[in-house]
Amino acid sequence: MTTPTIPPLRLGIAGLGTVGVGVVKIVRQKASLLAQRTGRAVVISAVSARARDKDRGVSLSNYAWEDDPVALAKRDDVDVFVELMGGEDGPAKDAIEAALACGKDVVTANKALLAHHGQALAETAEAAGNVIRFEAAVAGGIPVIKSLTEGLAGNDITRVMGVMNGTCNYILTRMQDAGLPYDEVFAEADALGYLEADPNLDVGGIDAGHKLSLLSSIAFGTKVNFDGVELEGIQRITIEDIRQAEDLGYKIKLLGVAQMTGRGLEQRMTPCLVPADSPLGQLKGGTNMVVIEGDAVEQVVLRGPGAGEGPTASAVLGDICDIARGFRLSTFGVPAGELKQAAAAQSNSPAPFYLHLSLEDRPGALAKIATALGEHGISIDRMRQTRHSDTQAPVLIVTHKTQRNAVDGAIDAMMKTGVMATAPVALRIETV
Ligand code: HSE
């Protein structure tokens, strides 16, 4: 090994939860490996968290302590501010802005913050010649940002898809495997500590939507547009839907899809049916998967852990090592000032839809539904009426390709017919 001749890279770590502790452990345990790989020592100068005295299972005695992350970000002995606190605004944003104002590089795992403020932060950083890196913000341990910005840099990216919330994938696959209802599996996920402090971030699709908006920006060279992501959570998925989808040869996944179309940038994070035998269909538990399609490479499938101490710390260390090596990359892969404003597509690409309706079981009910579909230009491909009770008839319809807004229009019309027992479930069938 050659002795490093350049000064150590000095880290200030704000946030000592699961990920922060994971980063501290790797920096301590792999000091010599990191120095070999980057050509310089990587050291921790100072740390910050809410509770100083908490036992975190790792010694912090060699590091200066700051109660205030902003003070940590401003320290003279910190070169890289590592933000692992989370939160869309508040202390995380204040501290990152303080670090950038002092000319420091930033590594963060904060998808919510970047989805909302990424463009402004990138402009600030790049104007001063600093970098913001965020591999850990998207799909945990999967090096998807590195893949897009480096390995696939010679491609026009045509589509990015993925399962990027492990909690939702855990809930859906557990419902499927154990035949348990959503509420019961949600309670299990809560007991296992899988859910975010605000569970709606997970099951409402918001966390995964944040991640998709960041990948879209990198893939298509556009300004982050989280508000342009069509979002739908998994809360209304029933075990019945999962079984019916299975019967048709599909699995239900909370799937993110981003593609640039002639109609604008299409970004969706919605529960979809995907072929059961596809890599996405076979994905189990908390694992994440990102599928990237490019004009030259065709298709790349990345699979790995989407959360947890080791995987997320691994992604943070990848960014730190790049900075230690002197590798400077624009935040979203091209200079922030050159990112295009992408108009959100007003209508999505056509696809077949799965409809699960519950009808009042009386003469003419089905005819009214068929009329509502027909009047919205929707053609039925397959239909099945199963296990009806004395008063209600569950009806499953697979449509030919249609638009989401046509489906929504037909559902509005159905709800006015007086024959719907409950609001229907409508899920896109995605070609993957
Ligand atoms: N809650 C996320 C998940 C991990 O379940 O994948 C952090 O984004």
Side-chain angles (χ1 to χ4, degrees):
M1 171 190 162
T2 51
T3 310
T5 52
I6 40 178
L9 185 78
R10 302 166 302 173
L11 311 177
I13 301 176
L16 293 171
T18 309
V19 183
V21 166
V23 172
V24 172
K25 284 184 191 163
I26 294 180
V27 173
R28 289 169 72 91
Q29 291 163 4
K30 300 186 194 289
S32 136
L33 182 71
L34 296 175
Q36 279 178 318
R37 287 185 171 161
T38 65
R40 65 196 291 198
V42 175
V43 300
I44 298 168
S45 295
V47 294
S48 170
R50 272 198 288 253
R52 182 166 189 171
D53 295 330
K54 186 173 167 185
D55 179 6
R56 296 177 169 88
V58 63
S59 170
L60 303 172
S61 60
N62 288 342
Y63 317 134
W65 178 274
E66 295 282 359
D67 287 322
D68 176 9
V70 172
L72 177 81
K74 291 179 173 172
R75 284 178 69 99
D76 289 338
D77 59 357
V78 167
D79 303 311
V80 179
F81 179 62
V82 183
E83 186 276 304
L84 303 171
M85 295 179 287
E88 173 184 326
D89 287 294
K93 180 164 176 273
D94 294 345
I96 288 179
E97 285 171 346
L100 295 175
C102 297
K104 299 178 195 306
D105 294 328
V106 170
V107 174
T108 178
N110 194 331
K111 59 230 79 172
L113 177 122
L114 290 173
H116 291 279
H117 308 293
Q119 179 67 26
L121 292 171
E123 285 173 15
T124 304
E126 291 170 28
N130 298 123
V131 298
I132 302 176
R133 299 291 303 264
F134 57 95
E135 185 68 77
V138 182
I142 302 177
V144 58
I145 294 175
K146 257 189 154 349
S147 299
L148 277 170
T149 52
E150 297 178 47
L152 300 173
N155 285 261
D156 279 326
I157 301 299
T158 48
R159 186 165 68 153
V160 178
M161 286 184 290
V163 167
M164 294 179 242
N165 183 278
T167 304
C168 287
N169 203 52
Y170 168 82
I171 290 174
L172 293 172
T173 49
R174 175 93 177 122
M175 284 172 74
Q176 170 135 24
D177 293 346
L180 293 171
Y182 174 85
D183 289 343
E184 208 168 306
V185 178
F186 177 91
E188 262 185 27
D190 195 14
L192 289 165
Y194 288 178
L195 291 162
E196 298 281 340
D198 172 4
N200 194 44
L201 286 176
D202 284 317
V203 296
I206 300 162
D207 166 83
H210 287 150
K211 295 167 181 168
L212 184 72
S213 70
L214 299 178
L215 288 189
S216 290
S217 170
I218 298 168
F220 304 112
T222 50
K223 293 183 181 175
V224 181
N225 182 10
F226 171 67
D227 291 338
V229 180
E230 177 192 335
L231 275 186
E232 188 182 322
I234 63 166
Q235 301 97 321
R236 292 194 60 221
I237 304 295
T238 62
I239 187 69
E240 175 73 4
D241 293 318
I242 289 175
R243 291 283 176 257
Q244 293 296 345
E246 218 173 3
D247 254 22
L248 295 164
Y250 295 100
K251 297 278 173 67
I252 298 179
K253 298 286 168 196
L254 179 67
L255 184 71
V257 179
Q259 59 191 346
M260 187 60 82
T261 71
R263 293 164 283 104
L265 178 61
E266 190 172 324
Q267 300 182 92
R268 290 180 262 119
M269 184 55 72
T270 58
C272 291
L273 272 63
V274 298
D277 59 359
S278 64
L280 283 163
Q282 288 173 10
L283 193 69
K284 292 262 189 187
T287 310
N288 283 198
M289 179 174 284
V290 184
V291 179
I292 305 170
E293 292 170 354
D295 59 347
V297 75
E298 297 177 4
Q299 191 182 68
V300 171
V301 179
L302 302 166
R303 178 186 186 280
E309 178 182 311
T312 315
S314 161
V316 172
L317 260 297
D319 285 341
I320 291 171
C321 286
D322 268 356
I323 293 172
R325 294 177 181 117
F327 178 54
R328 319 286 294 169
L329 183 72
S330 302
T331 314
F332 295 103
V334 300
E338 292 174 29
L339 292 166
K340 296 173 294 235
Q341 191 81 49
Q346 293 306 306
S347 62
N348 288 333
S349 314
F353 276 78
Y354 160 98
L355 303 177
H356 180 182
L357 317 174
S358 190
L359 306 189
E360 303 291 347
D361 196 5
R362 52 187 158 82
L366 200 51
K368 288 188 172 155
I369 297 311
T371 302
L373 290 169
E375 283 176 349
H376 288 82
I378 300 172
S379 173
I380 295 171
D381 177 22
R382 279 175 280 173
M383 189 167 72
R384 185 190 280 174
Q385 181 170 307
T386 51
R387 288 184 279 168
H388 51 87
S389 68
D390 288 345
T391 54
Q392 290 182 10
V395 173
L396 295 160
I397 293 174
V398 175
T399 72
H400 284 292
K401 277 190 180 179
T402 183
Q403 299 275 358
R404 175 83 220 194
N405 48 10
V407 172
D408 290 341
I411 289 174
D412 282 349
M414 288 177 200
M415 294 305 287
K416 290 180 188 141
T417 58
V419 301
M420 301 292 292
T422 56
V425 171
L427 303 174
R428 187 180 165 98
I429 302 178
E430 195 67 52
T431 307
V432 298

